[in-house]
Amino acid sequence: MKSVKLSIAMCTYNGAAYLSEQFESLATQTRVPDELVVCDDSSTDKHTREMVEAFARRAPFAVRLFVNKQNLGSKRSFELAIRRCRGEIIFLCDQDDVWREDKLVVIERAFLSSPQTGLVFSDAEVGDENLVKLGSLWQNFCEDSQADLEAGRAFHALLRRNLVTGATLAFRSNLRRLVLPIPIDTIFQHDAWIALIIAAVARVTFISEPLIKYRQHPGQQIGASIAGTRYEERDSSLIEAAREHPYPTAEIHAFKTVYARLITKCSGLVSNHYLGAIKSWIGRLENEKAVLENNASDEAQRKSWEEMNEYLSLMEIRIEPYLRADLSRLRHRLRPRDLGAVWSEIRADRRHGLQWSDRLKED
């Protein structure tokens, strides 16, 4: 079976405590990668960069280190690391986990056996600071989610909730142009964004084997919730930031941003079925938001059930500002047919009476 070039995109930030174990697991892979691209997010300790540089001198593959001039956060750092990868398959890597020795070869095999597959991810063994086993990532998800993945309905499963942990995923680099740039103004982290965009244009394959040991420790950004352990509730700046946004307002913003990308940079690749599915999901969230707001309003201003039913039936999904924002992110990199698809959607909105000035007032 032929092989392809494999890149690993890793982000580091004050990660000296666990880096040596992660590096060792990369160096001892039964199929070593072709390169490791490390983006250090302006670590304030001196040890993290020193450890990367020391590993680069002894690693059995190329290691390239890039240091951000200022702290940019995990989304931007992963984006920069992904941009610099030269391989045909890009693996995402956290600084505090440990990979099973055959992770690369198992995932590479999954890609080679299915040319239609655009993204592969796996289960993971969740452990404490010392990697004592606590459970698995997949135990947090219902059986319906796995059934959807096995039936090729990954996009629909990912609309309900993100199932993909970044440290377990890999994707084809020819899809990189679709997922980048990663918006930093939504509640979606880089893994959720990458998985949902790719699921709309290619097959997603789930490997039920735990191919990494996913370390839980107080210093990590998100982590996993494992019932019955002290890791059931995690505290971090990212989690707190997500909690600040009221549901479902934050989800509406996130999914409309995804929708905008699908009809800008991904036009011609996404089926109308998937576009309809995400529009329906957004509509459901919009309706839920309207009901919650109505229930919270003063009794004198509260709409009756009949009034709310009529109001909801007349609601339109407004996406024009999200298209405008994504066009701004993408600048001149769109092809003419992408622009045509965008403006076709915008004209459809205008036929429903929507104008730029209306959206600007609402925003």
Side-chain angles (χ1 to χ4, degrees):
M1 184 177 288
K2 69 175 183 178
S3 63
V4 293
K5 290 185 177 180
L6 307 182
S7 295
I8 299 176
M10 171 188 271
C11 293
T12 58
Y13 179 72
N14 294 349
Y18 305 112
L19 262 177
S20 59
E21 288 181 86
Q22 178 65 292
F23 282 153
E24 182 64 22
S25 75
L26 300 184
T28 56
Q29 289 288 301
T30 54
R31 192 282 200 220
V32 296
D34 293 278
E35 66 170 357
L36 169 65
V37 176
V38 181
C39 183
D40 183 77
D41 198 18
S42 192
S43 290
T44 56
D45 68 346
K46 65 177 182 178
H47 304 296
T48 297
R49 271 175 267 175
E50 288 178 351
M51 292 178 71
V52 177
E53 291 165 353
F55 181 66
R57 291 191 289 270
R58 67 177 180 83
F61 46 81
V63 178
R64 296 188 290 136
L65 170 63
F66 301 88
V67 180
N68 297 340
K69 293 181 179 180
Q70 60 185 12
N71 186 269
L72 300 176
S74 57
K75 291 183 190 179
R76 285 285 290 129
S77 292
F78 267 110
E79 178 179 318
L80 291 172
I82 289 168
R83 286 188 186 279
R84 290 160 173 154
C85 288
R86 299 167 177 167
E88 295 157 81
I89 306 296
I90 300 173
F91 291 73
L92 302 191
C93 182
D94 289 345
Q95 64 184 6
D96 45 12
D97 303 322
V98 170
W99 287 13
R100 205 172 82 178
E101 64 180 7
D102 61 345
K103 173 181 174 173
L104 289 179
V105 72
V106 169
I107 291 182
E108 180 186 33
R109 190 182 302 127
F111 279 109
L112 292 176
S113 64
S114 174
Q116 297 79 25
T117 293
L119 182 145
V120 177
F121 74 105
S122 75
D123 196 0
E125 180 183 304
V126 181
D128 64 11
E129 294 97 326
N130 301 310
L131 294 180
V132 174
K133 186 175 180 180
L134 300 172
S136 73
L137 279 179
W138 195 253
Q139 75 185 56
N140 293 328
F141 306 124
C142 63
E143 292 182 3
D144 288 347
S145 297
Q146 186 164 354
D148 279 340
L149 291 171
E150 291 173 350
R153 297 190 298 268
F155 185 77
H156 297 279
L158 292 168
L159 281 181
R160 294 195 299 271
R161 68 177 297 183
N162 180 43
L163 307 170
V164 181
T165 298
T168 72
L169 79 81
F171 65 97
R172 294 190 188 274
S173 61
N174 63 358
L175 299 175
R176 169 172 46 194
R177 65 184 181 84
L178 305 180
V179 301
L180 300 184
I182 300 172
I184 61 174
D185 61 343
T186 79
I187 59 170
F188 283 165
Q189 293 306 309
H190 61 279
D191 47 11
W193 171 265
I194 292 170
L196 194 51
I197 296 296
I198 291 180
V201 301
R203 180 180 297 170
V204 171
T205 297
F206 171 62
I207 296 174
S208 59
E209 303 172 64
L211 296 182
I212 72 168
K213 291 185 178 181
Y214 187 64
R215 193 193 305 267
Q216 304 294 281
H217 59 90
Q220 69 189 141
Q221 285 190 312
I222 296 182
S225 297
I226 303 296
T229 76
R230 63 195 179 96
Y231 298 97
E232 188 166 359
E233 277 297 322
R234 307 257 352 138
D235 292 315
S236 76
S237 57
L238 281 182
I239 292 176
E240 290 304 315
R243 287 172 178 163
E244 290 176 2
H245 299 282
Y247 173 87
T249 302
E251 291 198 21
I252 292 171
H253 174 71
F255 284 113
K256 284 187 175 180
T257 303
V258 171
Y259 186 82
R261 177 60 58 85
L262 294 183
I263 64 173
T264 54
K265 217 169 190 182
C266 304
S267 72
L269 300 173
V270 185
S271 71
N272 289 332
H273 175 66
Y274 284 164
L275 290 176
I278 191 170
K279 251 192 170 177
S280 296
W281 187 254
I282 293 168
R284 176 180 173 179
L285 292 170
E286 292 270 30
N287 286 358
E288 187 170 348
K289 177 186 176 185
V291 171
L292 291 172
E293 289 176 345
N294 185 59
N295 291 342
S297 63
D298 294 337
E299 187 172 353
Q301 298 177 332
R302 195 174 303 155
K303 293 181 177 69
S304 66
W305 184 89
E306 292 82 4
E307 290 171 329
M308 275 301 296
N309 190 44
E310 182 180 3
Y311 172 74
L312 295 178
S313 68
L314 296 173
M315 282 183 61
E316 295 286 346
I317 297 175
R318 306 303 192 187
I319 58 155
E320 192 173 31
Y322 296 88
L323 293 171
R324 188 179 187 183
D326 208 47
L327 287 170
S328 177
R329 289 188 190 98
L330 302 175
R331 301 187 188 92
H332 59 277
R333 291 190 291 273
L334 290 175
R335 297 166 299 174
R337 73 172 184 176
D338 294 325
L339 288 168
V342 172
W343 287 110
S344 174
E345 187 72 22
I346 290 174
R347 284 195 296 272
D349 259 358
R350 285 179 173 166
R351 284 197 295 272
H352 291 291
L354 179 64
Q355 300 296 327
W356 283 113
S357 57
D358 298 330
R359 287 306 302 172
L360 293 173
K361 288 176 184 176
E362 289 179 30
D363 292 343

